[in-house]
Amino acid sequence: MIREAEKGKYVKLPTFLEQGFSDLKRDVIDKRICSLCGTCAAFCDKIKISENEPRPVLVEEYDTICGICYAFCPRTFLPLSEIEKRIFGEEERKRADGDVLGIYRGCYVVRSKKEDIIKRGQDGGAVTSLLAYALEEGIIDCAVITTSDNHWKPVTKVAKSYDELKEGAGTKYTIYPGVVGVKEAMEEGYANIGFVGLPCQIQGLRKVQTAEQPYEVGKERIKLLIGLFCMENFTEELLDFVKEKVGLDLERVKKFDIKGKELLVYDEEGKVHAIALDEIKAYESEGCSVCMDYTAELADISVGSVGSEDGWSTVFARTERGEEIVEGAVEKRYIEAKEMEEKGLGLIRRLEESKRKRF
Ligand SMILES: Cc1cc2nc3c(=O)[nH]c(=O)nc-3n(C[C@H](O)[C@H](O)[C@H](O)COP(=O)(O)OP(=O)(O)OC[C@H]3O[C@@H](n4cnc5c(N)ncnc54)[C@H](O)[C@@H]3O)c2cc1C
């Protein structure tokens, strides 16, 4: 996927191109701040995610100083105001200056209008419905989503139809390098790719889209980024702990949710098992410790549950494209949307601030 820069085509290479995987290892992986977003492995053929640990490793035993992994990693450096300027424009950036919720054109309380999505959706099924609308309208020709195996282990999928999109519905609370799905979508030849993921994954993909670098990585094929709110994510061991604690085979779990200070485990008989968040603190991913982004501020559209009543999703339309999709999805009856009230916004602001303080 990476084509070396033609000699002479670029007058001056930015200095970050002199940094390679050993620098990434020193500055991110060994410091245990890798969020396992998957961006490095998605855009550099020489990196894969090791299944044992899991963490990024070199495919072969040699380093490279092409700079891709270091430049695209959301944990090396994050020139936020520069990225915002390029994504949203300088005017929008100035207008939102100082708002912890980031730049947005509208914030809504949203629920799907599709019964089958409401049934499977984590909250209001907004994410799945917005993707379905974007797919139907040809804004995207596929969406990289996160489904799971029978035991709730996340699995990435390149969804190309309404039915495939529904397989992603519902939240999986363990870390997974979902951005590698973008590589899969590119290898399958898609030219208009949508992606749903966590704030760190959106940051990685925005770095890919905005970095000045001499490689052709297919960034123009990434057309829509939907970001999920995220206070923290957990290591895979959480799933074993839940199995033990609740005494339930994970195949029988219908849904996981975090509400207030509890992880709720819904079983197929409708019983809800609550585990205090304090009890699962040991499984919080170390890589989340440096993240200050609760609401996926760099996404086209951000979606969470906080701020909305049960069964509804909170949706920020951030970019012009994001706003068009939300408005179009209302018009074509994929979703219904109400303006978010100040009280809801206040609650989201408080949580955003608490994430920043905590880390
Ligand atoms: C780890 C994690 C932590 C979260 N923390 C918060 C929080 O603190 N506060 C809050 O308000 N909301 C949080 N959310 C978001 C919330 O759980 C819902 O995902 C969101 O409200 C969208 O609901 P929906 O019904 O619109 O989505 P649905 O229509 O059900 O679609 C869900 C989408 O999420 C994607 N997805 C699911 N799991 C993952 C994953 N692990 N990685 C990447 N993509 C995934 C799927 O691909 C799917 O497209 C979190 C989500 C995750 C994955």
Side-chain angles (χ1 to χ4, degrees), residues 230-249:
C230 181
M231 188 56 83
E232 73 264 290
N233 206 347
F234 299 87
T235 60
E236 213 180 291
E237 288 78 34
L238 172 73
L239 295 175
D240 294 328
F241 174 80
V242 168
K243 198 170 146 189
E244 279 283 305
K245 173 87 189 167
V246 179
L248 190 69
D249 195 319

Side-chain angles (χ1 to χ4, degrees), residues 34-91:
C34 168
S35 64
L36 208 76
C37 66
T39 312
C40 57
F43 292 95
C44 179
D45 297 338
K46 297 175 186 122
I47 298 177
K48 65 171 186 178
I49 305 295
S50 150
E51 280 178 22
N52 302 337
E53 295 239 28
R55 62 184 177 86
V57 292
L58 279 178
V59 174
E60 294 166 46
E61 279 309 305
Y62 64 82
D63 195 4
T64 154
I65 53 160
C66 70
I68 288 273
C69 59
Y70 205 88
F72 293 168
C73 171
R75 296 296 195 246
T76 48
F77 57 95
L78 191 67
L80 254 189
S81 53
E82 192 53 40
I83 296 177
E84 285 176 351
K85 210 169 6 171
R86 292 176 191 207
I87 302 294
F88 303 101
E90 181 63 348
E91 279 312 303

Side-chain angles (χ1 to χ4, degrees), residues 122-123 125-128 146 168 170-172 229 231 294 304-306 313:
Q122 180 72 13
D123 296 303
V127 173
T128 305
T146 302
T171 298
K172 293 96 206 171
F229 294 10
M231 188 56 83
Y294 176 58
S305 60
V306 163
S313 312

Side-chain angles (χ1 to χ4, degrees), residues 36-195:
L36 208 76
C37 66
T39 312
C40 57
F43 292 95
C44 179
D45 297 338
K46 297 175 186 122
I47 298 177
K48 65 171 186 178
I49 305 295
S50 150
E51 280 178 22
N52 302 337
E53 295 239 28
R55 62 184 177 86
V57 292
L58 279 178
V59 174
E60 294 166 46
E61 279 309 305
Y62 64 82
D63 195 4
T64 154
I65 53 160
C66 70
I68 288 273
C69 59
Y70 205 88
F72 293 168
C73 171
R75 296 296 195 246
T76 48
F77 57 95
L78 191 67
L80 254 189
S81 53
E82 192 53 40
I83 296 177
E84 285 176 351
K85 210 169 6 171
R86 292 176 191 207
I87 302 294
F88 303 101
E90 181 63 348
E91 279 312 303
E92 289 288 303
R93 199 186 74 79
K94 275 196 196 138
R95 199 172 55 78
D97 208 19
D99 188 346
V100 291
L101 298 178
I103 296 160
Y104 63 94
R105 291 162 173 258
C107 181
Y108 310 93
V109 175
V110 168
R111 186 169 63 181
S112 179
K113 290 288 269 181
K114 311 276 180 196
E115 278 306 319
D116 49 352
I117 294 181
I118 290 178
K119 265 193 210 134
R120 299 179 66 148
Q122 180 72 13
D123 296 303
V127 173
T128 305
S129 304
L130 290 166
L131 288 174
Y133 167 77
L135 195 64
E136 173 73 27
E137 291 294 304
I139 299 165
I140 54 173
D141 46 26
C142 72
V144 176
I145 56 169
T146 302
T147 66
S148 63
D149 68 10
N150 289 342
H151 296 91
W152 283 90
K153 230 177 126 177
V155 179
T156 193
K157 183 177 178 92
V158 181
K160 303 115 191 166
S161 66
Y162 181 92
D163 282 338
E164 286 185 345
L165 283 175
K166 284 195 295 186
E167 290 175 38
T171 298
K172 293 96 206 171
Y173 283 104
T174 52
I175 50 169
Y176 181 76
V179 181
V180 293
V182 173
K183 177 181 187 171
E184 230 173 272
M186 285 185 184
E187 284 172 353
E188 286 179 35
Y190 289 101
N192 302 299
I193 300 168
F195 174 83

